[in-house]
Amino acid sequence: MKPIIFNVIRDRTIRFGQLDAIIPDVTRKVLTEQLRELEEDGIILRTAYKEIPPRVEYQLTDQGKAMLPILDSLKDWVLEF
């Protein structure tokens, strides 16, 4: 699940609702849990805006961006077999 989140976010800032729509095979609860874990690990940055309705955006941190080449290499390796 987490690699899917990485692939969706990559080089952009994305709102929770957009993530939920792009990754339809996961419940909102599981998506929220995964995002919280990634935030706790310093992989993604969560920005909450005090608006009505509330707006929350996610983006990769520098640490998260540094992991992209590794994940891309793993994906390429898996696709070879």
Side-chain angles (χ1 to χ4, degrees):
M1 166 56 132
K2 290 178 186 176
I4 294 171
I5 293 172
F6 271 87
N7 285 332
V8 172
I9 295 177
R10 289 197 78 90
D11 299 322
R12 63 180 170 168
T13 300
I14 191 164
R15 294 175 71 170
F16 181 84
Q18 292 172 304
L19 275 171
D20 188 37
I22 293 170
I23 309 172
D25 296 334
V26 66
T27 64
R28 292 175 72 95
K29 179 182 182 241
V30 171
L31 180 59
T32 298
E33 290 170 355
Q34 295 291 297
L35 289 167
R36 283 187 184 146
E37 285 181 23
L38 289 167
E39 181 184 12
E40 289 170 6
D41 293 338
I43 307 294
I44 63 168
L45 175 66
R46 178 184 186 268
T47 306
Y49 297 92
K50 296 181 181 182
E51 300 175 347
I52 297 177
R55 177 172 52 122
V56 178
E57 295 180 339
Y58 296 92
Q59 63 186 21
L60 291 178
T61 62
D62 289 339
Q63 181 180 350
K65 290 177 183 175
M67 294 176 69
L68 288 173
I70 297 164
L71 291 172
D72 289 341
S73 293
L74 281 171
K75 181 178 73 175
D76 293 343
W77 179 76
V78 167
L79 292 175
E80 287 181 24
F81 297 99

